[in-house]
Amino acid sequence: MRRVMHDRFGGPEVLELREVDEPHAGAGEVRIRVEAAALNPVDWKIFGGGPAATTRGLEPPLGVGNDIAGTIDEVGDDVRGWAVGDRVFGSARTRALQDWTVVDPDAERLARIPDGLDAGVAASLVVAGRTAWDAVGRLVERQGDTLFVHGAAGGVGQLAVQLAERKGARVIGSASERNHDMLRRLGVEPVAYGEGLAERLLGMLPVDACFDCADGAGVAAGLEAGVPIERCIAIAVKGAHGAAGVATDLARTGALDELAALAAAGALLVPIEVRYPLERFRDAYRQLMEGHARGKLVLDLMR
Ligand SMILES: NC(=O)c1ccc[n+]([C@@H]2O[C@H](COP(=O)([O-])OP(=O)(O)OC[C@H]3O[C@@H](n4cnc5c(N)ncnc54)[C@H](OP(=O)(O)O)[C@@H]3O)[C@@H](O)[C@H]2O)c1
């Protein structure tokens, strides 16, 4: 089977597509025929060899990626609740960009893909969806709260603004000018980031909570606009200005099931900017690393 791998840490140039033996499900595991993998910045932070790799004890040789969707085609001994033919999505840390992957369905918290939901859409919900779900669940306390999402046009941001609106929040979102109309269509009041963000936010009061998906400047601006630090979460710059993060182990089956149900019902728009065939993994990561993806980048393995 095909597997994207790397023998040393580095940029996308260290990644290679190799032919390797197919894995098989051991006891307590299922094997999944991967149909789609969604990319996240944490993938390149791991293959780049920074703290995302070292704090998880990851050393090459390694595979790549995390978010997968596909169909179970082998079930190991002692597995309950899963069968060959089940369409599933979830996490396969460093084992996503490959034709087959093996996971422990309890440890990795697999969820079922609802009928009619596309595999690329389901995969896109794994890290970004759970992160947005956790942050919005903690930050929007009551209907009418105003949430400021810094980096609202990205994979996490676009899901967060929609989830906050579903909870009755007013949402302000920062993005570059080219994304302001897109944010307006999602019901968001757009604001430009960069120099003067705090002043612009002060002109849009009240602001009750802040979810910073970018460089930490969102938390700084939120604090100036009167948001208490207890109602700030930062995910790209951990601990920015004292803000909390989201749980790194976001294994919440409930969240994935609810997110997928919303997406299948058309109540949550899962923004996929580009779908590439697996062979274009380097182009996909180069685009992601530029930091201006408008939603998710997906690799289709069955194309
Ligand atoms: N568990 C965790 O802690 C956790 C979980 C998920 C993600 N994260 C981290 O959170 C960050 C966002 O993740 P993501 O998946 O949403 O990434 P992403 O999709 O790559 O985000 C891209 C977006 O960031 C926006 N952006 C770029 N520079 C910005 C700036 N200076 N200010 C405001 N927005 C800016 C871009 O908007 P424009 O094109 O309009 O500039 C673009 O829409 C990443 O660093 C990721 O590693 C952490």
Side-chain angles (χ1 to χ4, degrees), residues 138-164:
R138 285 157 53 197
L139 290 174
V140 178
E141 293 176 354
R142 58 190 73 81
Q143 277 215 338
D145 274 357
T146 298
L147 175 66
F148 169 50
V149 179
H150 184 53
V156 177
Q158 285 196 55
L159 295 174
V161 301
Q162 295 178 74
L163 294 173

